[in-house]
Coordinates of all heavy atoms in Angstrom, one line a residue:
H14 N -1.1 27.5 -0.7 CA 0.0 27.1 -1.5 C 0.6 25.8 -1.0 O 0.9 25.7 0.2 CB 1.1 28.2 -1.5 CG 2.3 27.9 -2.5 ND1 2.3 28.4 -3.8 CD2 3.4 27.2 -2.3 CE1 3.4 28.1 -4.3 NE2 4.1 27.4 -3.5
Q15 N 0.7 24.7 -1.8 CA 1.2 23.4 -1.3 C 2.3 22.9 -2.2 O 2.3 23.1 -3.5 CB 0.0 22.4 -1.3 CG -1.1 22.7 -0.3 CD -2.1 21.6 -0.3 OE1 -2.4 21.0 -1.3 NE2 -2.6 21.3 0.9
C16 N 3.2 22.2 -1.6 CA 4.3 21.5 -2.4 C 4.3 20.1 -1.9 O 4.6 19.8 -0.7 CB 5.6 22.1 -2.2 SG 5.7 23.9 -2.7
M17 N 4.0 19.1 -2.7 CA 4.0 17.7 -2.3 C 5.1 16.9 -3.1 O 5.4 17.2 -4.2 CB 2.6 17.0 -2.7 CG 1.4 17.7 -2.1 SD -0.1 16.9 -2.6 CE -1.2 18.3 -2.5
M18 N 5.6 15.9 -2.4 CA 6.6 15.0 -3.0 C 6.1 13.6 -3.0 O 5.7 13.1 -1.9 CB 7.9 15.2 -2.3 CG 9.0 14.2 -2.8 SD 10.7 14.6 -2.2 CE 10.5 14.1 -0.5
F19 N 6.1 12.9 -4.1 CA 5.8 11.5 -4.3 C 7.2 10.8 -4.4 O 7.9 11.0 -5.4 CB 4.9 11.3 -5.5 CG 3.6 12.1 -5.4 CD1 3.6 13.4 -5.9 CD2 2.5 11.6 -4.9 CE1 2.4 14.1 -5.9 CE2 1.3 12.3 -4.8 CZ 1.3 13.6 -5.3
D20 N 7.5 9.9 -3.5 CA 8.9 9.4 -3.5 C 8.9 7.9 -3.6 O 10.0 7.3 -3.6 CB 9.6 9.8 -2.2 CG 9.1 9.1 -1.0 OD1 7.9 9.0 -0.9 OD2 10.0 8.7 -0.1
D21 N 7.7 7.2 -3.7 CA 7.7 5.7 -3.6 C 7.0 5.1 -4.8 O 6.4 4.0 -4.7 CB 7.2 5.3 -2.3 CG 5.7 5.6 -2.2 OD1 5.2 6.5 -2.9 OD2 5.0 5.0 -1.4
L22 N 6.9 5.8 -6.0 CA 6.1 5.3 -7.1 C 6.9 4.4 -8.0 O 6.3 3.7 -8.8 CB 5.5 6.5 -7.9 CG 4.7 7.4 -7.1 CD1 4.1 8.5 -8.0 CD2 3.5 6.7 -6.4
V23 N 8.2 4.4 -7.9 CA 9.0 3.5 -8.8 C 9.1 2.1 -8.2 O 9.4 1.9 -7.1 CB 10.4 4.1 -9.0 CG1 11.3 3.1 -9.8 CG2 10.4 5.5 -9.7
S24 N 8.9 1.1 -9.1 CA 9.0 -0.3 -8.7 C 9.9 -1.0 -9.7 O 10.1 -0.5 -10.8 CB 7.6 -0.9 -8.6 OG 7.0 -0.9 -9.8
G25 N 10.4 -2.2 -9.3 CA 11.2 -3.0 -10.2 C 12.6 -2.4 -10.3 O 13.2 -2.0 -9.3
E26 N 13.2 -2.4 -11.5 CA 14.6 -2.1 -11.7 C 14.9 -0.6 -11.9 O 16.0 -0.2 -11.9 CB 15.1 -2.8 -13.0 CG 15.0 -4.3 -12.9 CD 15.9 -4.9 -11.7 OE1 17.0 -4.4 -11.5 OE2 15.4 -5.8 -11.0
G27 N 13.8 0.2 -11.9 CA 14.1 1.7 -12.1 C 14.7 2.3 -10.9 O 14.5 1.9 -9.8
V28 N 15.5 3.4 -11.2 CA 16.1 4.1 -10.1 C 15.1 4.9 -9.4 O 14.1 5.4 -10.0 CB 17.3 5.0 -10.6 CG1 16.7 6.1 -11.5 CG2 18.1 5.6 -9.5
Q29 N 15.2 5.0 -8.0 CA 14.3 5.7 -7.2 C 14.2 7.2 -7.8 O 15.2 7.8 -8.1 CB 14.7 5.7 -5.8 CG 13.7 6.4 -4.8 CD 13.9 7.9 -4.7 OE1 14.9 8.5 -5.1 NE2 12.8 8.6 -4.2
S30 N 13.0 7.7 -7.8 CA 12.9 9.1 -8.3 C 11.7 9.8 -7.5 O 10.8 9.1 -7.1 CB 12.7 9.2 -9.8 OG 11.4 8.6 -10.2
N31 N 11.8 11.1 -7.4 CA 10.8 11.9 -6.8 C 10.0 12.7 -7.8 O 10.6 13.3 -8.7 CB 11.4 12.9 -5.7 CG 12.3 12.2 -4.7 OD1 11.9 11.1 -4.2 ND2 13.5 12.7 -4.4
Q32 N 8.7 12.7 -7.6 CA 7.9 13.6 -8.5 C 7.2 14.6 -7.5 O 6.9 14.3 -6.4 CB 6.8 12.8 -9.2 CG 7.4 11.8 -10.2 CD 7.8 10.5 -9.5 OE1 7.2 10.0 -8.6 NE2 9.0 10.0 -10.0
F33 N 6.9 15.8 -8.1 CA 6.5 16.9 -7.2 C 5.2 17.6 -7.8 O 5.1 17.7 -9.0 CB 7.6 18.0 -7.1 CG 8.9 17.4 -6.6 CD1 9.9 17.1 -7.5 CD2 9.1 17.2 -5.3 CE1 11.1 16.6 -7.1 CE2 10.3 16.7 -4.8 CZ 11.3 16.4 -5.7
L34 N 4.3 18.0 -6.9 CA 3.1 18.7 -7.3 C 3.1 20.0 -6.5 O 3.2 20.0 -5.3 CB 1.9 17.9 -7.0 CG 0.5 18.6 -7.3 CD1 0.4 18.8 -8.8 CD2 -0.6 17.8 -6.7
I35 N 3.0 21.1 -7.2 CA 2.8 22.4 -6.6 C 1.4 23.0 -7.0 O 1.1 23.0 -8.1 CB 3.9 23.4 -7.1 CG1 5.3 22.9 -6.8 CG2 3.7 24.8 -6.4 CD1 6.4 23.8 -7.3
T36 N 0.7 23.4 -6.0 CA -0.6 23.9 -6.2 C -0.7 25.3 -5.6 O -0.2 25.6 -4.5 CB -1.8 23.0 -5.7 OG1 -1.6 22.9 -4.2 CG2 -1.7 21.6 -6.3
D37 N -1.5 26.2 -6.3 CA -1.7 27.5 -5.7 C -3.0 28.1 -6.3 O -3.1 28.2 -7.6 CB -0.5 28.5 -6.1 CG -0.6 29.8 -5.3 OD1 -1.5 30.6 -5.7 OD2 0.2 30.0 -4.4
S38 N -3.9 28.4 -5.5 CA -5.2 29.1 -5.9 C -5.8 28.5 -7.1 O -6.2 29.1 -8.0 CB -4.9 30.6 -6.2 OG -4.2 31.2 -5.0
G39 N -5.9 27.1 -7.0 CA -6.7 26.4 -8.1 C -5.9 26.0 -9.3 O -6.4 25.3 -10.2
Q40 N -4.6 26.4 -9.4 CA -3.7 26.0 -10.5 C -2.7 25.0 -9.9 O -2.4 25.0 -8.7 CB -3.1 27.2 -11.2 CG -4.1 28.1 -11.9 CD -3.4 29.0 -12.9 OE1 -2.2 29.4 -12.7 NE2 -4.1 29.4 -13.9
S41 N -2.1 24.2 -10.8 CA -1.2 23.2 -10.4 C -0.1 23.0 -11.4 O -0.2 23.2 -12.6 CB -1.9 21.9 -10.2 OG -2.7 21.5 -11.4
L42 N 1.1 22.6 -10.9 CA 2.3 22.3 -11.7 C 2.8 20.9 -11.3 O 3.0 20.7 -10.1 CB 3.3 23.4 -11.6 CG 4.6 23.2 -12.3 CD1 5.2 24.5 -12.8 CD2 5.7 22.5 -11.5
L43 N 3.1 20.1 -12.2 CA 3.7 18.8 -12.0 C 5.2 18.8 -12.5 O 5.4 19.2 -13.6 CB 3.0 17.7 -12.8 CG 3.5 16.2 -12.6 CD1 3.4 15.8 -11.2 CD2 2.6 15.3 -13.5
L44 N 6.1 18.5 -11.6 CA 7.5 18.7 -11.9 C 8.2 17.3 -12.1 O 8.1 16.4 -11.3 CB 8.2 19.4 -10.7 CG 9.7 19.5 -10.7 CD1 10.2 20.3 -11.9 CD2 10.1 20.3 -9.4
D45 N 8.8 17.1 -13.3 CA 9.5 15.9 -13.7 C 8.7 14.7 -13.4 O 9.0 13.8 -12.6 CB 10.8 15.9 -12.9 CG 11.8 16.9 -13.4 OD1 11.6 17.5 -14.5 OD2 12.8 17.2 -12.7
P46 N 7.6 14.4 -14.2 CA 6.7 13.3 -13.9 C 7.2 11.9 -14.2 O 6.7 11.0 -13.7 CB 5.5 13.6 -14.8 CG 6.0 14.5 -15.9 CD 7.1 15.3 -15.3
G47 N 8.3 11.8 -15.1 CA 8.9 10.5 -15.3 C 8.4 9.9 -16.6 O 7.8 10.5 -17.5
G48 N 8.5 8.5 -16.6 CA 8.1 7.8 -17.8 C 7.0 6.8 -17.5 O 6.2 7.1 -16.6
D49 N 6.8 5.8 -18.4 CA 5.7 4.8 -18.2 C 5.8 4.2 -16.8 O 4.7 3.8 -16.3 CB 5.8 3.8 -19.3 CG 5.3 4.3 -20.6 OD1 4.8 5.4 -20.6 OD2 5.6 3.7 -21.7
L50 N 6.9 4.1 -16.2 CA 7.1 3.4 -15.0 C 6.3 4.1 -13.9 O 5.8 3.5 -12.9 CB 8.6 3.3 -14.6 CG 9.0 2.3 -13.5 CD1 8.7 0.9 -13.9 CD2 10.5 2.5 -13.3
T51 N 6.2 5.4 -14.0 CA 5.5 6.2 -12.9 C 4.2 6.8 -13.4 O 3.4 7.3 -12.5 CB 6.4 7.4 -12.5 OG1 6.8 8.1 -13.6 CG2 7.6 6.9 -11.7
Y52 N 3.9 6.7 -14.7 CA 2.7 7.4 -15.2 C 1.4 7.0 -14.4 O 0.7 7.8 -13.9 CB 2.5 7.3 -16.7 CG 1.2 7.9 -17.1 CD1 1.0 9.3 -17.2 CD2 0.1 7.1 -17.4 CE1 -0.2 9.8 -17.5 CE2 -1.2 7.6 -17.7 CZ -1.3 9.0 -17.8 OH -2.5 9.5 -18.1
T53 N 1.1 5.7 -14.4 CA -0.2 5.2 -13.9 C -0.3 5.5 -12.4 O -1.2 6.1 -11.9 CB -0.4 3.8 -14.2 OG1 -0.5 3.6 -15.6 CG2 -1.7 3.3 -13.5
P54 N 0.7 5.1 -11.6 CA 0.6 5.3 -10.1 C 0.6 6.8 -9.8 O -0.1 7.3 -8.9 CB 1.8 4.6 -9.5 CG 2.8 4.4 -10.6 CD 1.9 4.2 -11.9
L55 N 1.4 7.6 -10.6 CA 1.4 9.1 -10.3 C 0.1 9.7 -10.6 O -0.5 10.5 -9.9 CB 2.5 9.7 -11.1 CG 2.6 11.2 -11.0 CD1 2.9 11.6 -9.5 CD2 3.8 11.8 -11.8
S56 N -0.5 9.4 -11.8 CA -1.8 10.0 -12.1 C -2.9 9.6 -11.1 O -3.8 10.4 -10.8 CB -2.2 9.6 -13.6 OG -2.3 8.2 -13.7
L57 N -2.9 8.4 -10.6 CA -3.8 7.9 -9.6 C -3.6 8.7 -8.3 O -4.6 9.1 -7.7 CB -3.7 6.4 -9.4 CG -4.2 5.5 -10.5 CD1 -3.8 4.1 -10.1 CD2 -5.7 5.7 -10.7
E58 N -2.4 8.9 -7.9 CA -2.1 9.7 -6.7 C -2.5 11.2 -6.9 O -3.1 11.8 -6.0 CB -0.7 9.6 -6.3 CG -0.2 8.2 -5.8 CD -1.0 7.8 -4.5 OE1 -1.2 8.7 -3.6 OE2 -1.5 6.7 -4.4
L59 N -2.2 11.7 -8.0 CA -2.6 13.1 -8.3 C -4.1 13.3 -8.2 O -4.6 14.4 -7.7 CB -2.1 13.6 -9.7 CG -0.6 13.7 -9.9 CD1 -0.3 14.1 -11.3 CD2 0.0 14.7 -8.9
S60 N -4.9 12.3 -8.7 CA -6.3 12.5 -8.7 C -6.9 12.6 -7.3 O -8.1 13.1 -7.2 CB -6.9 11.3 -9.5 OG -6.8 10.1 -8.7
K61 N -6.2 12.3 -6.3 CA -6.6 12.5 -4.9 C -6.5 13.9 -4.5 O -7.1 14.3 -3.5 CB -5.9 11.6 -4.0 CG -6.0 10.1 -4.3 CD -5.0 9.3 -3.4 CE -5.1 7.8 -3.7 NZ -4.1 7.0 -2.8
H62 N -5.8 14.7 -5.3 CA -5.5 16.1 -4.8 C -6.0 17.2 -5.8 O -6.3 18.3 -5.4 CB -4.0 16.2 -4.6 CG -3.4 15.2 -3.6 ND1 -3.5 15.4 -2.2 CD2 -2.8 14.0 -3.8 CE1 -3.0 14.4 -1.6 NE2 -2.5 13.5 -2.6
I63 N -6.0 16.8 -7.1 CA -6.4 17.8 -8.1 C -7.2 17.1 -9.2 O -7.3 15.9 -9.2 CB -5.2 18.4 -8.8 CG1 -4.4 17.4 -9.5 CG2 -4.3 19.2 -7.8 CD1 -3.3 17.9 -10.4
S64 N -7.9 17.9 -10.0 CA -8.5 17.3 -11.2 C -7.3 17.2 -12.3 O -6.8 18.2 -12.8 CB -9.5 18.3 -11.8 OG -9.9 17.9 -13.1
V65 N -6.9 16.0 -12.5 CA -5.7 15.8 -13.4 C -5.9 16.4 -14.7 O -5.0 17.0 -15.3 CB -5.4 14.2 -13.5 CG1 -4.3 14.0 -14.4 CG2 -5.1 13.7 -12.1
Q66 N -7.1 16.3 -15.3 CA -7.4 16.9 -16.6 C -7.1 18.4 -16.6 O -6.7 18.9 -17.7 CB -8.8 16.6 -17.0 CG -9.2 17.1 -18.4 CD -10.6 16.8 -18.8 OE1 -11.4 16.3 -17.9 NE2 -11.0 17.1 -20.0
D67 N -7.3 19.0 -15.5 CA -7.1 20.5 -15.5 C -5.7 20.9 -15.0 O -5.5 22.1 -14.7 CB -8.1 21.1 -14.5 CG -9.5 20.9 -15.0 OD1 -9.7 20.9 -16.2 OD2 -10.4 20.7 -14.2
L68 N -4.7 20.0 -15.0 CA -3.4 20.3 -14.7 C -2.9 21.5 -15.5 O -3.1 21.5 -16.7 CB -2.5 19.1 -14.9 CG -1.0 19.2 -14.5 CD1 -0.8 19.3 -13.0 CD2 -0.2 17.9 -15.1
T69 N -2.3 22.5 -14.9 CA -1.9 23.7 -15.6 C -0.6 23.6 -16.3 O -0.5 23.9 -17.5 CB -1.8 24.9 -14.6 OG1 -3.0 24.9 -13.8 CG2 -1.7 26.2 -15.4
Y70 N 0.4 23.1 -15.7 CA 1.8 23.0 -16.2 C 2.4 21.7 -15.9 O 2.2 21.1 -14.9 CB 2.7 24.1 -15.7 CG 2.3 25.5 -16.0 CD1 2.0 26.4 -15.0 CD2 2.4 26.0 -17.3 CE1 1.6 27.7 -15.3 CE2 2.0 27.3 -17.6 CZ 1.6 28.2 -16.6 OH 1.3 29.5 -16.8
I71 N 3.3 21.3 -16.8 CA 4.3 20.2 -16.5 C 5.7 20.9 -16.7 O 5.9 21.5 -17.8 CB 4.1 19.0 -17.5 CG1 2.8 18.3 -17.1 CG2 5.3 18.1 -17.3 CD1 2.5 17.2 -18.1
F72 N 6.5 20.7 -15.7 CA 7.9 21.3 -15.8 C 8.8 20.2 -16.0 O 8.9 19.2 -15.2 CB 8.2 22.1 -14.5 CG 9.5 22.8 -14.6 CD1 9.5 24.2 -14.9 CD2 10.7 22.2 -14.3 CE1 10.7 24.9 -15.0 CE2 11.9 22.9 -14.3 CZ 11.9 24.2 -14.6
A73 N 9.6 20.2 -17.1 CA 10.6 19.2 -17.4 C 12.0 19.9 -17.3 O 12.4 20.7 -18.1 CB 10.4 18.7 -18.8

Side-chain angles (χ1 to χ4, degrees):
H14 187 93
Q15 293 183 326
C16 301
M17 304 177 207
M18 177 168 69
F19 305 86
D20 71 320
D21 67 340
L22 302 182
V23 174
S24 59
E26 298 300 317
V28 65
Q29 185 275 344
S30 65
N31 304 317
Q32 297 79 39
F33 306 96
L34 176 69
I35 303 175
T36 62
D37 190 288
S38 305
Q40 293 194 334
S41 53
L42 178 145
L43 180 61
L44 175 56
D45 291 345
D49 286 347
L50 199 60
T51 54
Y52 172 76
T53 297
L55 179 57
S56 59
L57 289 173
E58 290 299 316
L59 291 178
S60 68
K61 299 175 183 178
H62 304 278
I63 64 169
S64 169
V65 176
Q66 184 179 6
D67 296 326
L68 183 67
T69 311
Y70 297 115
I71 292 171
F72 187 95

